[in-house]
Amino acid sequence: MSNDSDSQMEVGQSDEFERLKGQTKSESLFPKPPLVNPKTNKRQDGRSPKDVRPIYVQTGVRDGAKGSAYVEMGTTKVLCIVSGPKDLPKKMDLSSTGIISVDVQLVGGKMSEKDVILIKECMEAVVILEKFPKCLLEIFLTIMEDGGSSIAASICAAGLALVDSGVPIYDTPVGSTLLYDGKDFYLDPSKSELDSVDLTDSEKNDSGGGIVTMGYLPTREQICLFTMEGKMDAEVLASAMDSLTNVNLKVFAVIRHHSMELMKEFKETKSKVNK
Amino acid sequence: MAEVLLSEEEKYYLVLGVAQDIRVDGRSRLDYRSGDVEVNTVTNSHGSVRIRLAETDVIVAAKVDLGVPKTETPNQGIIKFLVDCSPTASPDFEGRGGDQLAETICRILSSTYAKSSSINLKSLCIVPKEFCYIVDVDILVLQCGGNLLDVIAMGVKACLGTCEIPRASGTRYDLGKPVPVFSKDEFQFDYLDVSKAPVIVTLPRVGRYFVVDATLEEESCSKGKLAIGVAPDGSITSVDKLGKACYQVRSIAASVQMAAKVGVDVNKVLSDRINKLKLSKLHSAKPWPPKPEEGMDVE
């Protein structure tokens, strides 16, 4: 007969089989390291909490495409190719504005549908869709390595590819991610840092915690993508948005520098052709 | 998204009304329409709720199943959401028309419930690594009269709050493997603790102002909206920008504070309602009285 008492799960032994006596509480095989080394106040990869990983951008990486860009944020590597605007396929409904389709490929995995919708809605807010009615603009993103903050890197790559392709856009979008552990903000978190926070733990998370991703149009000072998960106070969220804005401006400085160089090259080649 | 077509003049009229804090139906910008929650509408589920807010009509039903926890979270149960936008709600939902909307709603619900500390998912675990409850929450949109997301979030909270989860009284070991033992009294159940669960406040921007509980007409005046999850203590559990609008930093910050204020009130009203529904369930919905314990122990 079974023991029908209301006690919590008791670990016992069956009569016939010996059960190994060991840990009864499940624990991860790989203990999660703390976000910050308390001695040096540095993160796992040697950054301080407010530091951003190095960024590398390049445009025109694929000759065949109308516009292409390659962005590295730390170990996150994203390639973006833009094709179009071209005629709408016959099966699609006619639209008075342009239509954007976003296709994301994650090497060795699949990006969740929700993140694709987020990126798509961001791009719809960035491209001046009224300029090419009844046309389709295709954005292909390949995330070659996901080292955290892949949505932010995807936005930067897509924005640069749009710049490269010459499609009319309101502004170059930049993106960044922030991690909040209940006490501090960690800017531009890496994959291992994102994995090490458990947002579902209700006992630990009384002080809150969350992940915020923001896409930003720097010259228009507007937000084109915003998503937050976790638990935060309204005031904390406001200050998180402020620091995200600062990071986005830093990212934009890199992108602007690159675009200026592009412009210079373009002018030089143009003058040569004219001569 | 279900949309109505409005002429420029009609939109102008609506926007001007909102600017003067008198909407077309006489509400102010922060007023909700009236609604009602019914419980036990789907009898073969563990908990179900039909929630109506003016014309919007949604059925939420939860089914509790036994399953294996995910390997990443071995001591937590699982809550899954499935949204079905019925073509009866709006002609736009015909075929695959409602898929993107349904996907978006699923994403927001699972980020507010399954990925935050709003519900203690550990209470859904029976034996770590071996057995847990999987709660499948099915949402059927019967009619869409604006403000769909808020209504669904309220329905989900009410449904999870009144959902009857069978009580596992312990574990026994069968051939070296733990097996959960359920109480012999089939009416013994637990309620999930939803005292920290959030509601969602959607704020479309009509003209220069954010409004709560927008009608379909008001939604068609706005390019995008902010969906903000608010816990009963006023903290924010999720923020999502929907649609192709851009916002300034300060307008997002202001709307978040506005949503926090409104959300606390909505949570309070809804929690009272959930408690009343639980009481009414105890008094009605019992087809026969629970059998006495000693009669069952014959072996």
Side-chain angles (χ1 to χ4, degrees):
Chain A
M1 204 188 94
S2 64
N3 177 21
D4 209 353
S5 70
D6 273 353
S7 65
Q8 285 284 306
M9 300 150 255
E10 274 177 2
V11 178
Q13 283 166 294
S14 74
D15 297 333
E16 295 94 23
F17 287 85
E18 189 89 7
R19 187 171 183 268
L20 282 176
K21 276 178 189 162
Q23 267 188 333
T24 50
K25 268 189 184 170
S26 66
E27 258 177 38
S28 173
L29 262 174
F30 311 101
K32 287 165 180 168
L35 281 170
V36 166
N37 188 342
K39 281 179 194 160
T40 55
N41 204 23
K42 289 272 166 69
R43 293 203 248 169
Q44 292 155 26
D45 45 7
R47 293 184 280 160
S48 73
K50 298 271 178 289
D51 277 356
V52 183
R53 291 175 295 177
I55 299 167
Y56 171 77
V57 295
Q58 185 64 49
T59 47
V61 285
R62 293 291 295 273
D63 289 338
K66 173 129 197 246
S68 60
Y70 174 73
V71 170
E72 270 182 26
M73 279 178 160
T75 52
T76 308
K77 300 181 177 99
V78 183
L79 175 71
C80 180
I81 291 167
V82 172
S83 87
K86 52 188 170 192
D87 277 355
L88 273 180
K90 274 187 185 146
K91 60 185 175 188
M92 288 175 95
D93 289 340
L94 216 64
S95 160
S96 58
T97 60
I99 287 180
I100 288 184
S101 81
V102 174
D103 185 61
V104 186
Q105 284 192 329
L106 180 63
V107 173
K110 192 173 176 292
M111 200 184 208
S112 59
E113 194 66 27
K114 59 178 195 181
D115 296 344
V116 181
I117 294 177
L118 270 180
I119 296 173
K120 185 176 172 236
E121 284 186 341
C122 171
M123 287 304 129
E124 282 171 343
V126 167
V127 180
I128 309 176
L129 291 168
E130 286 78 12
K131 291 257 177 165
F132 42 97
K134 292 181 255 175
C135 285
L136 176 70
L137 183 70
E138 286 176 307
I139 299 173
F140 299 101
L141 282 156
T142 312
I143 300 172
M144 298 199 269
E145 192 179 334
D146 182 10
S149 325
S150 58
I151 296 183
S154 304
I155 296 168
C156 294
L160 268 170
L162 287 171
V163 170
D164 187 40
S165 70
V167 169
I169 54 177
Y170 289 109
D171 196 359
T172 320
V174 287
S176 56
T177 307
L178 175 147
L179 176 70
Y180 175 61
D181 71 337
K183 281 175 277 176
D184 282 315
F185 295 142
Y186 299 94
L187 298 175
D188 194 20
S190 65
K191 178 98 176 156
S192 60
E193 284 171 332
L194 287 172
D195 287 345
S196 69
V197 213
D198 185 8
L199 296 177
T200 51
D201 198 338
S202 58
E203 286 141 26
K204 276 189 210 158
N205 281 5
D206 272 344
S207 51
I211 300 165
V212 190
T213 303
M214 183 164 110
Y216 191 63
L217 305 179
T219 44
R220 296 171 70 92
E221 296 183 351
Q222 283 186 333
I223 293 171
C224 56
L225 178 147
F226 196 80
T227 173
M228 181 224 141
E229 277 173 7
K231 191 179 178 190
M232 279 186 181
D233 283 339
E235 292 87 41
V236 178
L237 187 60
S239 60
M241 276 158 65
D242 282 343
S243 43
L244 272 172
T245 313
N246 289 334
V247 180
N248 278 328
L249 290 175
K250 276 184 200 166
V251 177
F252 181 61
V254 177
I255 287 179
R256 187 170 56 185
H257 178 76
H258 182 77
S259 333
M260 295 303 268
E261 301 252 297
L262 267 186
M263 284 294 285
K264 234 186 261 171
E265 268 175 41
F266 179 68
K267 272 181 189 162
E268 277 166 15
T269 48
K270 205 179 170 188
S271 57
K272 272 180 199 166
V273 170
N274 285 347
K275 274 173 195 171
Chain B
M1 189 74 208
E3 270 183 8
V4 286
L5 287 174
L6 289 185
S7 67
E8 287 302 312
E9 284 75 17
E10 282 171 305
K11 284 186 183 174
Y12 194 59
Y13 180 71
L14 272 166
V15 171
L16 279 187
V18 166
Q20 296 183 19
D21 209 2
I22 302 171
R23 296 206 246 166
V24 177
D25 43 10
R27 291 180 288 156
S28 74
R29 285 196 289 268
L30 296 181
D31 280 346
Y32 267 82
R33 294 169 289 181
S34 59
D36 190 27
V37 188
E38 274 173 59
V39 80
N40 268 0
T41 42
V42 184
T43 44
N44 54 0
S45 69
H46 286 87
S48 61
V49 151
R50 180 176 183 178
I51 181 160
R52 270 174 286 190
L53 193 75
E55 283 107 62
T56 309
D57 195 343
V58 174
I59 286 182
V60 185
K63 183 127 178 51
V64 184
D65 235 333
L66 208 57
V68 183
K70 288 179 192 164
T71 39
E72 315 93 76
T73 53
N75 52 0
Q76 289 180 356
I78 301 166
I79 298 182
K80 287 182 190 165
F81 294 96
L82 185 86
V83 181
D84 184 18
C85 295
S86 152
T88 53
S90 159
D92 294 349
F93 295 157
E94 234 168 272
R96 300 178 59 82
D99 278 10
Q100 188 176 343
L101 177 68
E103 182 66 41
T104 313
I105 294 173
C106 268
R107 159 173 70 89
I108 294 171
L109 286 177
S110 48
S111 72
T112 44
Y113 278 97
K115 280 192 194 161
S116 74
S117 53
S118 51
I119 279 190
N120 189 4
L121 290 174
K122 280 180 185 163
S123 66
L124 287 173
C125 181
I126 308 166
V127 186
K129 289 186 198 169
E130 303 278 351
F131 288 105
C132 73
Y133 288 119
I134 298 177
V135 184
D136 278 302
V137 183
D138 288 326
I139 298 144
L140 178 65
V141 181
L142 291 178
Q143 201 179 343
C144 184
N147 205 17
L148 187 60
L149 193 56
D150 289 24
V151 180
I152 288 179
M154 280 190 244
V156 167
K157 183 173 176 179
C159 178
L160 288 176
T162 56
C163 175
E164 295 169 356
I165 291 167
R167 185 178 293 170
S169 53
T171 34
R172 78 188 151 84
Y173 280 83
D174 191 10
L175 296 175
K177 277 192 163 183
V179 179
V181 177
F182 291 94
S183 168
K184 283 175 181 167
D185 176 8
E186 56 185 299
F187 291 107
Q188 272 203 337
F189 53 79
D190 290 315
Y191 286 121
L192 257 180
D193 179 23
V194 288
S195 61
K196 281 185 189 169
V199 293
I200 293 174
V201 180
T202 316
L203 296 168
R205 191 170 166 153
V206 181
R208 289 180 57 207
Y209 298 94
F210 286 103
V211 296
V212 299
D213 192 21
T215 58
L216 270 186
E217 287 80 17
E218 282 163 342
E219 275 175 5
S220 70
C221 292
S222 70
K223 258 192 163 181
K225 48 193 166 184
L226 285 170
I228 300 162
V230 186
D233 60 349
S235 58
I236 310 297
T237 58
S238 72
V239 183
D240 284 280
K241 187 189 79 82
L242 307 172
K244 37 180 138 171
C246 286
Y247 296 98
Q248 286 185 330
V249 176
R250 59 160 190 262
S251 71
I252 289 195
S255 65
V256 163
Q257 273 179 354
M258 187 172 138
K261 234 181 259 170
V262 176
V264 171
D265 295 342
V266 175
N267 265 313
K268 205 182 280 170
V269 173
L270 192 63
S271 304
D272 288 350
R273 190 82 187 121
I274 291 173
N275 288 337
K276 264 185 207 164
L277 287 172
K278 275 185 197 167
L279 280 179
S280 72
K281 262 175 101 169
L282 283 181
H283 291 305
S284 63
K286 284 280 167 67
W288 54 81
K291 288 168 194 167
E293 272 288 323
E294 56 271 17
M296 309 243 325
D297 269 348
V298 185
E299 275 191 338

